[in-house]
Amino acid sequence: MDIELPTEIAIVTGAGSGIGAAIAKRLAEMWPVLVIGRRFDRLVEVADGNGTGLIPWAMDVTDRSDVDRLAEKLRTDGVKVSALVNNAGLARSGAAALPQTDLRENWDTVIATNLTGAFQLAMAVAPFLRRPGGRIVNIGSIAAYTGGRSKGSAIYAASKAGMNGLTVGLAREFSDEGITVNAVAPGLVAETEFTGGWDPERVRQMVSETPVGRAGTASEIAATVAFLCGSEAGYITGQVIHQNGGTYFAP
């Protein structure tokens, strides 16, 4: 894209709606933010009214050429990245009753977006992360621990469990360079595109099983991410922060 990037930025993927948009807007209080997603029009809507703080950048995190194009842009513009938030994600059914061809296609799609995309973007952006002080935050899910709330959730749960392993591995990789890597694992978050199409009765049941008695909000997740991206979180790395209203208590 024919724009000149600021010299210091944060990057948020899956920023076209929901949690990703909330994170981008929160981080824009700290740095200009490159908001990444597949649909440029959605990114423009998120950026609208936020001045120059949010910069739309359309790309597919599963497409290696798109990732390389971004890395080259960071290099040619001399950009330092203060924080990378890997939020891009989707879900597809892993129900055993589906035809094997559908199951495999769903597996490939989800793993490519939720896990491979996060890995290849982290590795491409790593050379440009601030040293010391760079931050990577991965958005996981309670499903990595519960297997999801219903049958058919195995693919999504596996992708998010992989995100936990990726988080720890990257923390080990970059800690001695002053870069921290952590994950946030949300539980039920209401009024996002991800949950918007769910059966209301299903949502009510999930809320009834949540000890705090309500769903979380995208702004609450964004606040946790902002803390992990800030200077006061420099002694936290390789951790998964559970934000689920008590639905799952980490050991």
Side-chain angles (χ1 to χ4, degrees), residues 82 84 129-130 133-137 167 170-171 174-175 177-182 228-230 233-238:
S82 290
L84 166 65
L129 284 167
R130 186 163 295 284
R135 305 283 188 256
I136 299 175
V137 180
T167 297
L170 292 179
F174 296 122
S175 289
E177 300 177 52
I179 295 168
T180 65
V181 187
N182 294 288
L228 291 173
C229 289
Y235 202 53
I236 304 172
T237 196

Side-chain angles (χ1 to χ4, degrees), residues 223-241:
T224 301
V225 172
F227 168 72
L228 291 173
C229 289
S231 60
E232 294 181 336
Y235 202 53
I236 304 172
T237 196
Q239 303 302 309
V240 178
I241 308 301

Side-chain angles (χ1 to χ4, degrees), residues 35-116:
V35 289
I36 289 177
R38 292 175 176 171
R39 289 183 51 183
F40 187 73
D41 60 327
R42 297 282 294 275
L43 301 173
V44 170
E45 289 177 7
V46 171
D48 187 40
N50 286 273
T52 58
L54 300 180
I55 306 163
W57 184 275
M59 63 173 282
D60 182 347
V61 297
T62 71
D63 187 328
R64 184 65 205 188
S65 63
D66 274 6
V67 173
D68 290 345
R69 177 172 56 86
L70 173 60
E72 178 62 17
K73 180 64 173 174
L74 297 175
R75 187 190 67 78
T76 57
D77 284 12
V79 176
K80 287 295 182 184
V81 178
S82 290
L84 166 65
V85 181
N86 285 309
N87 172 72
L90 49 77
R92 295 286 185 272
S93 176
L98 288 175
Q100 289 297 309
T101 52
D102 291 348
L103 281 172
R104 181 54 187 268
E105 181 178 353
N106 288 354
W107 173 272
D108 289 346
T109 299
V110 172
I111 296 299
T113 301
N114 297 8
L115 188 54
T116 306

